[in-house]
Coordinates of all heavy atoms in Angstrom, one line a residue:
A1 N 0.8 -1.2 0.0 CA 0.0 0.0 0.0 C 0.9 1.3 0.0 O 0.7 2.1 -0.9 CB -0.9 0.0 1.2
I2 N 1.8 1.4 0.9 CA 2.6 2.6 1.0 C 3.6 2.8 -0.1 O 4.0 3.9 -0.4 CB 3.3 2.7 2.4 CG1 4.3 1.7 2.6 CG2 2.2 2.7 3.5 CD1 5.1 1.8 3.9
G3 N 3.9 1.7 -0.8 CA 4.8 1.8 -2.0 C 4.2 2.6 -3.0 O 4.9 3.2 -3.9
G4 N 2.8 2.8 -3.0 CA 2.2 3.6 -4.0 C 2.2 5.1 -3.7 O 2.0 6.0 -4.6
T5 N 2.4 5.4 -2.4 CA 2.4 6.8 -2.0 C 3.6 7.6 -2.6 O 3.6 8.8 -2.9 CB 2.3 7.0 -0.5 OG1 3.4 6.5 0.1 CG2 1.0 6.4 0.0
L6 N 4.7 6.8 -2.7 CA 6.0 7.5 -3.1 C 5.9 8.1 -4.5 O 6.0 9.3 -4.7 CB 7.1 6.5 -3.1 CG 8.5 7.0 -3.4 CD1 9.5 6.1 -2.6 CD2 8.8 7.0 -4.9
P7 N 5.6 7.3 -5.6 CA 5.5 7.9 -6.9 C 4.4 8.9 -7.1 O 4.6 9.9 -7.8 CB 5.3 6.7 -7.9 CG 4.7 5.6 -7.0 CD 5.3 5.8 -5.6
V8 N 3.3 8.7 -6.4 CA 2.1 9.6 -6.6 C 2.3 10.9 -5.8 O 2.1 12.0 -6.4 CB 0.8 8.9 -6.1 CG1 -0.3 9.9 -6.2 CG2 0.6 7.7 -7.0
D9 N 2.8 10.9 -4.6 CA 2.9 12.1 -3.8 C 4.0 13.0 -4.5 O 3.8 14.3 -4.5 CB 3.4 11.8 -2.4 CG 2.2 11.3 -1.5 OD1 1.2 10.8 -2.1 OD2 2.3 11.5 -0.3
Y10 N 5.1 12.5 -5.0 CA 6.1 13.3 -5.6 C 5.7 13.8 -6.9 O 6.0 15.0 -7.3 CB 7.4 12.6 -5.6 CG 8.1 12.7 -4.3 CD1 7.9 11.8 -3.3 CD2 9.0 13.7 -4.1 CE1 8.5 12.0 -2.0 CE2 9.6 13.9 -2.8 CZ 9.3 13.0 -1.8 OH 9.9 13.2 -0.6
A11 N 4.9 13.0 -7.7 CA 4.4 13.6 -8.9 C 3.4 14.7 -8.7 O 3.4 15.7 -9.3 CB 3.7 12.4 -9.7
M12 N 2.5 14.5 -7.7 CA 1.5 15.5 -7.4 C 2.2 16.8 -6.9 O 1.9 17.9 -7.4 CB 0.6 15.1 -6.2 CG -0.4 14.0 -6.6 SD -1.8 14.6 -7.5 CE -2.9 15.0 -6.1
M13 N 3.2 16.7 -6.1 CA 3.9 17.9 -5.6 C 4.6 18.6 -6.7 O 4.6 19.8 -6.9 CB 4.9 17.5 -4.5 CG 5.6 18.7 -3.8 SD 4.4 19.8 -3.0 CE 3.8 18.7 -1.7
A14 N 5.3 17.8 -7.6 CA 6.1 18.4 -8.7 C 5.1 19.1 -9.6 O 5.5 20.1 -10.2 CB 6.9 17.3 -9.4
E15 N 3.9 18.6 -9.8 CA 3.0 19.1 -10.8 C 2.1 20.2 -10.3 O 1.5 20.9 -11.2 CB 2.1 17.9 -11.3 CG 3.0 16.9 -12.1 CD 2.2 15.6 -12.5 OE1 1.0 15.5 -12.1 OE2 2.8 14.8 -13.2
F16 N 2.2 20.5 -9.1 CA 1.4 21.7 -8.5 C 2.2 22.9 -8.1 O 1.7 23.9 -7.8 CB 0.5 21.2 -7.3 CG -0.8 20.7 -7.7 CD1 -1.2 19.4 -7.4 CD2 -1.8 21.5 -8.3 CE1 -2.5 18.9 -7.7 CE2 -3.0 21.0 -8.6 CZ -3.4 19.7 -8.3
V17 N 3.6 22.7 -8.0 CA 4.4 23.8 -7.5 C 5.0 24.6 -8.6 O 5.5 24.0 -9.6 CB 5.5 23.2 -6.6 CG1 6.5 24.2 -6.1 CG2 4.9 22.5 -5.4
P18 N 5.1 25.9 -8.5 CA 5.7 26.7 -9.5 C 7.2 26.3 -9.8 O 7.9 25.8 -8.9 CB 5.7 28.2 -9.0 CG 4.5 28.1 -8.0 CD 4.5 26.7 -7.5
T19 N 7.7 26.5 -11.0 CA 9.0 26.1 -11.4 C 10.1 26.6 -10.4 O 11.0 25.8 -10.1 CB 9.3 26.6 -12.8 OG1 8.3 26.1 -13.7 CG2 10.7 26.1 -13.3
A20 N 10.0 27.8 -10.0 CA 11.1 28.4 -9.2 C 11.2 27.8 -7.8 O 12.3 27.8 -7.2 CB 10.9 29.9 -9.1
W21 N 10.1 27.1 -7.4 CA 10.1 26.6 -6.0 C 10.0 25.1 -6.0 O 10.1 24.5 -4.9 CB 8.8 27.1 -5.3 CG 9.0 28.5 -4.8 CD1 8.7 29.6 -5.5 CD2 9.4 28.9 -3.5 NE1 8.9 30.7 -4.7 CE2 9.4 30.3 -3.5 CE3 9.8 28.3 -2.4 CZ2 9.7 31.1 -2.4 CZ3 10.2 29.0 -1.3 CH2 10.2 30.4 -1.3
R22 N 10.0 24.4 -7.2 CA 9.7 23.0 -7.2 C 10.7 22.2 -6.5 O 10.4 21.3 -5.7 CB 9.5 22.5 -8.7 CG 9.0 21.1 -8.8 CD 8.7 20.8 -10.2 NE 9.9 20.9 -11.1 CZ 10.0 21.8 -12.1 NH1 8.9 22.5 -12.5 NH2 11.1 21.8 -12.9
G23 N 12.0 22.4 -6.8 CA 13.0 21.6 -6.2 C 13.1 21.7 -4.7 O 13.2 20.7 -4.0
R24 N 12.9 22.9 -4.2 CA 12.9 23.1 -2.8 C 11.7 22.4 -2.1 O 11.9 21.8 -1.0 CB 12.8 24.6 -2.5 CG 13.3 25.1 -1.2 CD 13.4 26.6 -1.1 NE 14.3 27.1 -2.2 CZ 14.4 28.4 -2.5 NH1 13.7 29.3 -1.9 NH2 15.2 28.7 -3.5
F25 N 10.6 22.5 -2.7 CA 9.4 21.8 -2.1 C 9.5 20.3 -2.1 O 9.0 19.6 -1.2 CB 8.1 22.3 -2.8 CG 7.4 23.4 -2.1 CD1 7.9 24.6 -1.9 CD2 6.1 23.1 -1.5 CE1 7.3 25.6 -1.2 CE2 5.5 24.1 -0.8 CZ 6.1 25.4 -0.7
L26 N 10.1 19.8 -3.1 CA 10.3 18.3 -3.2 C 11.2 17.9 -2.1 O 11.1 16.8 -1.5 CB 10.8 17.9 -4.5 CG 9.8 18.0 -5.7 CD1 10.4 17.8 -7.0 CD2 8.6 17.1 -5.5
V27 N 12.3 18.6 -1.8 CA 13.1 18.3 -0.6 C 12.4 18.5 0.7 O 12.5 17.7 1.6 CB 14.4 19.2 -0.7 CG1 15.3 18.8 0.5 CG2 15.2 18.9 -1.9
Y28 N 11.6 19.6 0.8 CA 10.8 19.8 2.0 C 9.9 18.6 2.3 O 9.8 18.1 3.4 CB 9.9 21.0 1.8 CG 10.6 22.4 1.8 CD1 9.9 23.5 1.4 CD2 11.9 22.5 2.4 CE1 10.5 24.7 1.4 CE2 12.5 23.8 2.4 CZ 11.8 24.9 1.9 OH 12.4 26.1 1.9
L29 N 9.3 18.1 1.2 CA 8.4 16.9 1.4 C 9.3 15.7 1.9 O 8.8 15.0 2.8 CB 7.7 16.5 0.1 CG 6.9 15.3 0.1 CD1 5.8 15.3 1.2 CD2 6.2 15.1 -1.3
E30 N 10.4 15.4 1.3 CA 11.2 14.3 1.8 C 11.7 14.5 3.2 O 11.9 13.6 4.0 CB 12.4 14.2 0.8 CG 13.6 13.4 1.3 CD 13.2 11.9 1.5 OE1 12.1 11.5 1.2 OE2 14.1 11.1 2.1
S31 N 11.8 15.8 3.7 CA 12.3 16.1 5.0 C 11.3 15.6 6.1 O 11.7 15.4 7.2 CB 12.6 17.6 5.2 OG 11.4 18.3 5.2
F32 N 10.0 15.4 5.7 CA 9.1 14.8 6.6 C 9.5 13.4 7.0 O 9.0 12.9 8.0 CB 7.7 14.8 6.1 CG 7.0 16.2 6.2 CD1 7.2 17.2 5.2 CD2 6.2 16.5 7.3 CE1 6.6 18.4 5.4 CE2 5.6 17.7 7.4 CZ 5.8 18.7 6.4
W33 N 10.3 12.7 6.2 CA 10.8 11.4 6.6 C 11.6 11.5 7.9 O 11.4 10.6 8.8 CB 11.7 10.9 5.5 CG 12.2 9.5 5.7 CD1 13.3 9.1 6.4 CD2 11.6 8.3 5.2 NE1 13.3 7.7 6.4 CE2 12.3 7.2 5.6 CE3 10.4 8.1 4.4 CZ2 12.0 5.9 5.2 CZ3 10.1 6.8 4.0 CH2 10.9 5.7 4.5
A34 N 12.3 12.6 8.1 CA 13.0 12.8 9.4 C 12.1 12.9 10.5 O 12.3 12.3 11.6 CB 13.9 14.0 9.3
L35 N 10.9 13.6 10.3 CA 9.9 13.7 11.4 C 9.3 12.4 11.7 O 9.1 12.1 12.9 CB 8.9 14.7 11.0 CG 9.3 16.1 10.7 CD1 8.1 17.0 10.3 CD2 10.1 16.7 11.9
G36 N 9.1 11.5 10.7 CA 8.6 10.2 11.0 C 9.6 9.4 11.7 O 9.2 8.6 12.6
T37 N 10.9 9.5 11.3 CA 11.9 8.8 12.0 C 12.0 9.2 13.5 O 12.2 8.3 14.4 CB 13.3 9.0 11.3 OG1 13.2 8.7 9.9 CG2 14.4 8.2 11.9
I38 N 12.0 10.5 13.7 CA 12.0 11.0 15.1 C 10.8 10.5 15.9 O 10.9 10.0 17.0 CB 12.0 12.5 15.1 CG1 13.4 13.0 14.5 CG2 11.8 13.1 16.5 CD1 13.4 14.5 14.2
A39 N 9.6 10.5 15.2 CA 8.4 10.1 15.9 C 8.5 8.6 16.3 O 8.1 8.2 17.4 CB 7.2 10.3 15.0
V40 N 8.9 7.7 15.4 CA 8.9 6.3 15.7 C 10.0 6.0 16.7 O 9.8 5.1 17.6 CB 9.1 5.4 14.4 CG1 10.5 5.5 13.8 CG2 8.7 4.0 14.6
A41 N 11.1 6.7 16.7 CA 12.1 6.4 17.7 C 11.7 6.9 19.1 O 11.9 6.2 20.1 CB 13.4 7.2 17.3
A42 N 11.0 8.0 19.1 CA 10.5 8.5 20.4 C 9.4 7.6 20.9 O 9.3 7.4 22.1 CB 10.0 10.0 20.2
L43 N 8.5 7.2 20.0 CA 7.4 6.3 20.4 C 8.0 5.0 20.9 O 7.5 4.5 22.0 CB 6.5 6.1 19.2 CG 5.2 5.2 19.5 CD1 4.3 5.8 20.5 CD2 4.4 5.0 18.2
A44 N 8.9 4.4 20.2 CA 9.5 3.2 20.7 C 10.2 3.3 22.0 O 10.1 2.5 22.9 CB 10.5 2.7 19.7
W45 N 10.9 4.4 22.2 CA 11.6 4.7 23.5 C 10.6 4.8 24.6 O 10.7 4.2 25.7 CB 12.4 6.0 23.3 CG 13.1 6.4 24.6 CD1 13.5 5.7 25.7 CD2 13.6 7.8 24.8 NE1 14.1 6.5 26.6 CE2 14.3 7.7 26.1 CE3 13.6 9.0 24.1 CZ2 14.8 8.9 26.7 CZ3 14.2 10.1 24.7 CH2 14.8 10.0 25.9
G46 N 9.5 5.6 24.4 CA 8.4 5.8 25.4 C 7.8 4.5 25.8 O 7.6 4.1 26.9

């Protein structure tokens, strides 16, 4: 299931963001991976 979110989410973000901001926003989206990593580590610790 989650294997499908990768190609679709990045295509959606790339196709809705203005050219000048597109690269930055795609990295911003990937940075949420760090938030998920922090969340699962904190949850496991707790």
Side-chain angles (χ1 to χ4, degrees):
I2 65 178
T5 62
L6 185 153
V8 176
D9 282 26
Y10 276 86
M12 290 279 276
M13 186 62 64
E15 292 170 357
F16 270 119
V17 175
T19 304
W21 284 87
R22 189 173 59 238
R24 201 169 304 169
F25 260 65
L26 291 172
V27 178
Y28 289 162
L29 176 54
E30 165 64 6
S31 69
F32 279 86
W33 187 274
L35 298 183
T37 305
I38 293 167
V40 72
L43 183 61
W45 180 19

